[in-house]
């Protein structure tokens, strides 16, 4: 039943050997890995204006260009830095790998923790922003923003559980549609103002202000706008998902991505300046611009809202393709639960996908679908991981001193410096707005990962055989006590007893008496069995049957000599209908747990199937 | 740790032989078993006025007396009927027992279901009404009514988990204080008006109306007022909790109870008529009367509110003393899960107590602390169980025809007729207000109970030995396959293997390969072990290791001959810290479940303790 639903929703199981087929080329890799970066622009301009307009009023639009240029410069520094990472790390050069390879384990884990937080935030932010685009077009739905986001997360999760290639096709076309629509809007918008000399009509009144752009305000706006750069690292993380030649394809995608982000981000910033879009309204800045360019009820307005909603939503998909991969790498290194490295029936890392689905949906539920609350948490983590990976690369070059190392070290050193400065700016500016949560979560996650690793190491040490394997085999037969607990003599008990008789001779039938009548009957019936087993009876005035049994076994366990084992034979009812289980005492679970704590006690479970 | 907290909260464990000491006499039995009935008056008058005042205005107070008299008459019919039940059922004559003894199993279960619903409602209604009394005195708390109720439910639960006698002392004194305060209020109120000739000042304006009391309105008000009679049956249910002579004590308590209810109910109804209390206000009718009698900030006002709150809250305690008892009787008959018949460490039926706590708290949460919503559900169930028990007694007398049977049959027959009519009135009047929920729940519960009983019967039939016990013992040694699954050869596997070697010779080491490298290493290592076991290797291209193993065992299982068994030896990691468990694969649980479905496959669990 469960199997059927599963295969209906996510498709039939795939063989491990089918793995190679599930990779993508440049055409499909671009939309899959870049939707996060490209879609960021849908809220980045608005976030910048949200800082500037309340202080500067109409004067804000002048400063917009300066800030956009600063962010664009940062974009290209990052792109060149990351091209070098792709060259050096053909199996995927996430910040975790680069930082832990070149700086050390702890910086690596810090980068990993930042990335984990960011991927969850990416999903939450993007789906909420997508929902905002939908509710801009249909304001009646604005109450249900959180619900829409969570539904969308569920859909993306299903798509990803189906596997990589399917989702690439599913998600690629809308990304291209979005890019096209935005570029048409930018073209039309510029054409109308520059060539047709149309004067835009302001949608909302903007107050005048005489204040000037201060350094502080610039930094504030800059740190808000940096969200536009989130998602750039996705390409270098995702190299193993590319078809061969994977590195070349990845670099091509990275360059294409940077160009698209540059054109769209600057284009939108410029349009918002021309058309004087006002942030923080019921409808988003992009929606305002498209209304002014195409008209309120034009087809293009709805196309733009729809593709914006879709690409924002799909941006979440980048995280769904990368976080599970990161987690599987961490799992192989023993820093997160090992289950996260197992591929599901469709060859995707299904546990990681489900984990991301649950945590991001929870986040959306908590902030009730508000993008703005999440955006303050967002960029810190991204820039921490940027800085660590750039600094890692810088150390790599200065250590190896091979070939053209000075040039390469300069590029990554510049990247590290600039991202570090940006990181500090964002950390300070956004600290009280929520960045402190991230700065608390990162050390917590790092500590957790170190402790998980320590546990796995201990387990491995415990299980490792360091002597000759053969010497561990115990060949002589082992003396045993065989204990069969009994409350009443019935078929199930007889079945257990029969099994016990095959295991050995020293059988003890153990009974705890809470009712004299029942015990008397038991003794009587037992005498008719005609078997050579001891019947042991204990009284339990406090009705604690299980505790008595455990204490008895513990006492016997203490007397064991080397290589001796106690075997406890216990029946277990097998009941066809699951809800009937609740009608039977569940204390046997606790009993098992207490007994198995003893090193040399073995439990034999004899099933007794109840026919209905 | 858990044990320590438990004994701190509910006291140390008690021996089964200490059971007899935990019973009560008339002095403590009265408050314990009557608080429900006595406290009902705190909302019954208000419920009547709530029907009358909106239609009749000031004219309502004239009709109040007629309705109170009708309800009082019903009270005494019930008391005499129940005295006969106490005489005939010394071990507790709940409606369930009386109805199933004399009419049949299904009517008995209908009565039981109605009672179950009512006990849960009693707890919810009483604690909500108690919270209303508190918020009448401290209006600032009125937002937190539901929270207060749920906290109180938690406290009562703790008290009851401690055991019967303790709670009798804890709860008896406030009940007597309430009775005393109410009687003082009634006395003072009457004295002021009748002797001192004080004219009461109306607290709220009442509109005049020329409408007359119609039959329909009378029935409506009557059905609302019948909530005053809930709780009467508690005494006959609780006979086993009384000290000897239990029946005599119970009858004394029943008479005392009826007199107290009569005095308080009529007294309050008369006072509300005199002082023109208005229902449905922020402060309750009782609070209004006490303000008029004693003054807004008088000590007596607060004493009355406090004792009202306490007794209403304690009324819930009646349910906590009776529902678990009813459930334990039903459990012994096999109609509800058997766990409900087990006494906890303090000799109370702790599972039933916890169940009642959870379900009533859930109900309070759903209605958000509103008494009025619950009261519409309330009385139907009570009167269904009244009717069934009275009718049962009537059948008992007419069947036995012993002694003074005609007189007895008349009393119970009258009781049955009147309660049946009342039941129909309430069912019709309250149907759309929520009684329909109860009328749906009762058949659902009855069906559920019948199905549970059917399951237990099937289990008993399955386990019952009908031949000579001795013939079932299998004396000849049983041929076995012994299967030891392995993924890597480590200490834990060697331990399992050593145990397998003691069980028999035909050992198969079963490995599922998902990675060629690992499998190659395994084969190599295995050859150095030097044991006479077969290594069986299967490939799993779909990575479904567990499914492969289950299929393999199923195949072997099909080939078994009579008395042959397959033994599967599996290691289990024992990890000291519980959260570390989550770091290991939990699929072994599903594996166990699938394997144990096979009749002749036994699982041996060999613990491997991980040291940290």
């Amino acid at each position: 039943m469960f199997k059927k639903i599963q295969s209906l929703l996510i498709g039939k199981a795939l063989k491990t050997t089918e793995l190679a087929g599930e990779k993508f080329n440049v055409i499909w890799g671009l939309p899959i890995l870049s939707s996060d970066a490209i879609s960021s622009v849908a809220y980045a301009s608005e976030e910048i204006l949200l800082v500037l307009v309340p202080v500067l009023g109409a004067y804000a639009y002048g400063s917009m260009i300066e800030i956009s240029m600063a962010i664009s410069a940062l974009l290209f520094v990052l792109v060149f830095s990351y091209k070098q990472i792709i060259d050096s790390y053909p199996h995927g050069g996430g910040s975790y790998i680069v930082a832990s390879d070149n700086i050390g384990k702890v910086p690596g884990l810090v980068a990993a923790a930042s990335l984990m937080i960011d991927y969850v935030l990416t999903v939450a932010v993007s789906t909420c922003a997508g929902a905002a685009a939908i509710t801009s077009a249909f304001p009646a739905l604005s109450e249900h923003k959180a619900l829409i986001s969570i539904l969308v997360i569920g859909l993306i999760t299903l798509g990803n559980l189906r596997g990589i290639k399917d989702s690439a096709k599913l998600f690629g076309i809308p990304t291209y549609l979005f890019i096209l629509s935005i570029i048409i809007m930018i073209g039309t918008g510029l054409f109308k103002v520059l060539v047709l000399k149309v004067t835009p009509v302001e949608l909302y009144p903007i107050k005048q202000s005489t204040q000037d752009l201060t350094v502080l305000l610039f930094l504030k706006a800059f740190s808000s706008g940096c969200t536009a750069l989130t998602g750039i690292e996705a390409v270098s993380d995702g190299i193993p998902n590319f078809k061969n030649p994977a590195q070349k394809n990845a670099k091509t995608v990275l360059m294409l991505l940077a160009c698209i982000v540059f054109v769209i981000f600057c284009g939108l910033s410029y349009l918002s300046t021309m058309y004087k879009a006002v942030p923080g309204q019921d409808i988003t800045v992009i929606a305002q611009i498209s209304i002014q360019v195409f008209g309120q009820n034009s087809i293009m307005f709805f196309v733009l809202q729809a593709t914006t909603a879709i690409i924002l939503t799909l941006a979440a998909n980048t995280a769904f393709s990368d976080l599970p991969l990161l987690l599987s790498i961490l799992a192989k290194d023993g820093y997160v639960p090992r289950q996260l490295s197992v591929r599901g029936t469709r060859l995707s890392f299904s546990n990681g996908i489900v984990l991301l689905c649950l945590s991001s949906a929870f986040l959306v539920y908590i902030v009730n679908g508000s993008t703005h609350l999440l955006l303050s948490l967002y960029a810190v983590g991204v820039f921490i991981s940027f800085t660590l990976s750039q600094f890692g690369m810088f150390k790599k070059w200065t250590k190896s001193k091979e070939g053209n190392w000075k040039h390469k070290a300069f590029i990554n050193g510049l990247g590290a410096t600039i991202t570090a400065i940006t990181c500090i700016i964002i950390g300070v500016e956004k600290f009280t707005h929520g960045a402190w949560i991230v700065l608390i979560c990162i050390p917590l996650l790092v500590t957790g990962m170190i402790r998980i690793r320590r546990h796995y190491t201990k387990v491995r040490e415990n299980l490792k055989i360091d002597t000759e394997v053969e010497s561990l085999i115990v060949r002589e037969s082992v003396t045993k006590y065989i204990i069969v607990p009994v409350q009443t003599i019935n078929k199930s008990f007889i079945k257990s007893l029969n099994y016990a008789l095959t295991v050995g001779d020293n059988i003890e039938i153990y009974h705890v008496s809470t009712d004299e009548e029942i015990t008397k009957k038991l003794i009587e019936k037992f005498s008719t069995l005609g078997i050579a087993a001891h019947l042991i009876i204990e009284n339990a005035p406090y009705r604690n049957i299980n505790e008595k049994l455990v204490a008895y076994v513990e006492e016997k366990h203490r007397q064991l000599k080397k290589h001796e084992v106690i075997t406890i034979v216990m029946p277990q009812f097998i009941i066809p209908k699951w809800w009937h289980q609740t009608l039977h005492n569940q204390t046997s679970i606790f009993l098992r747990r207490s007994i198995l704590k003893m090193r040399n006690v073995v439990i034999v479970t004899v099933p007794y199937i109840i026919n209905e």
Side-chain angles (χ1 to χ4, degrees), chain A residues 129-142 145 148 282-284 286-288 290-291 296-309:
Chain A
I134 294 173
T135 55
S136 288
F138 307 100
L141 293 172
S142 55
K145 233 190 252 181
I148 294 172
D282 273 351
I283 52 176
T284 62
I286 292 197
Q288 290 174 39
S290 64
I291 287 174
Q296 172 79 63
N297 286 314
S298 63
I299 292 172
M300 271 308 284
F301 166 70
F302 283 103
V303 168
L304 250 158
Q305 286 317 103
T307 51
T308 308

Side-chain angles (χ1 to χ4, degrees), chain A residues 261-441:
Chain A
V261 168
F262 176 70
V263 169
I264 296 181
F265 179 59
C266 293
L268 274 184
S269 295
Y270 193 56
L271 278 193
S272 65
T273 307
M274 276 179 165
Y275 288 87
K276 307 238 176 332
V278 177
Q281 304 298 326
D282 273 351
I283 52 176
T284 62
V285 162
I286 292 197
Q288 290 174 39
I289 296 174
S290 64
I291 287 174
Q292 289 174 303
V293 172
F294 298 116
Q296 172 79 63
N297 286 314
S298 63
I299 292 172
M300 271 308 284
F301 166 70
F302 283 103
V303 168
L304 250 158
Q305 286 317 103
T307 51
T308 308
I310 294 171
I311 198 185
L312 274 163
T313 305
L314 299 188
N317 194 54
T318 310
F320 272 97
S321 118
D322 280 348
L323 178 60
L325 194 67
L326 171 66
L327 288 175
S328 82
I329 296 170
L330 286 167
K332 272 176 203 146
D333 290 356
Y335 287 110
V336 295
R338 203 165 287 162
Q339 294 94 314
L340 293 168
S341 71
V342 179
R343 285 182 190 272
T345 53
R346 295 283 292 183
L347 293 172
S348 54
F349 293 111
S350 33
N351 290 328
I353 290 171
V354 172
L355 196 68
L356 178 54
C357 166
L358 294 179
S359 44
S360 55
F362 179 70
L363 208 58
V364 169
Y365 174 76
I366 286 198
V367 301
N368 198 20
S370 150
T371 319
H372 188 64
L373 284 174
L374 293 170
L375 279 173
S376 307
L377 308 179
Y378 199 14
V380 204
V382 180
F383 276 85
I384 289 176
S385 74
F386 279 164
T387 309
L388 285 168
S389 68
Q390 300 308 321
F391 184 63
M393 288 305 287
F394 175 76
K395 278 195 81 175
K396 181 187 169 82
W397 306 128
T398 52
K399 222 186 270 170
S400 72
K401 306 206 171 172
E402 276 165 15
N404 197 9
W405 70 273
K406 281 187 184 166
H407 171 76
K408 287 175 174 170
F410 173 75
I411 290 180
N412 285 127
L414 181 69
T417 317
I418 292 180
T419 50
I421 293 169
T422 312
C423 188
I424 292 166
I425 293 172
I426 299 173
V428 171
E429 289 297 338
K430 298 286 178 187
F431 188 80
T432 50
H433 294 94
W436 62 271
I437 299 174
V438 176
L439 296 176
I440 285 174
C441 282

Side-chain angles (χ1 to χ4, degrees), chain A residues 82-98:
Chain A
Y82 266 106
K83 277 182 85 168
Q84 296 192 159
I85 294 181
I86 293 174
D87 273 330
S88 308
Y89 286 90
H91 301 300
S95 312
Y96 164 64
I97 295 175
V98 176

